[in-house]
Amino acid sequence: MKGPGILWMLQTAAGLSMAGPMFIIGLEFTRDGQLVGGVGFFALGVVALYFPTWLLGRIGGPRAWIARRLERRRADDEEAEQAESESERRPGLLERFRSD
């Protein structure tokens, strides 16, 4: 059985560091009789707890980052080759002015 990965632990730690204070404030509001404020802070805490997981799901994980990086490098190499071959075929700006 696989345990939680390091990325999952970092997501959880980031979520708890943001949501923890909101949960405490929600608890204090509820204890003081301000039920609406307490429920609001609890709801905000749940959103903050889930936010890092949502954000990572939106932008992809480390595998997606590496794949994008490699894809970008390949595209840059292809563009450089294409620009080099085009510069060999087309006359430069100075040559175009001289020919007119």
Side-chain angles (χ1 to χ4, degrees), residues 78-92:
E78 289 173 2
E79 286 177 10
E81 289 175 5
Q82 186 179 9
E84 186 177 305
S85 65
E86 286 179 4
S87 67
E88 292 172 359
R89 284 183 273 159
R90 293 184 184 172

Side-chain angles (χ1 to χ4, degrees), residues 13-35:
L16 283 174
S17 69
M18 291 188 298
M22 294 177 207
F23 288 140
I24 292 171
I25 292 172
L27 179 67
E28 289 299 316
F29 270 47
T30 306
R31 283 179 44 187
D32 288 342
Q34 299 175 356
L35 189 61

Side-chain angles (χ1 to χ4, degrees), residues 25-95:
I25 292 172
L27 179 67
E28 289 299 316
F29 270 47
T30 306
R31 283 179 44 187
D32 288 342
Q34 299 175 356
L35 189 61
V36 174
V39 170
F41 271 105
F42 278 127
L44 197 57
V46 168
V47 169
L49 184 63
Y50 184 68
F51 180 72
T53 305
W54 173 81
L55 185 64
L56 223 68
R58 185 91 168 131
I59 63 175
R63 288 184 186 145
W65 301 336
I66 292 170
R68 272 190 235 130
R69 181 73 178 212
L70 292 175
E71 196 174 287
R72 193 175 309 140
R73 183 174 290 165
R74 282 189 212 118
D76 290 344
D77 291 344
E78 289 173 2
E79 286 177 10
E81 289 175 5
Q82 186 179 9
E84 186 177 305
S85 65
E86 286 179 4
S87 67
E88 292 172 359
R89 284 183 273 159
R90 293 184 184 172
L93 184 62
L94 187 58
E95 286 82 19

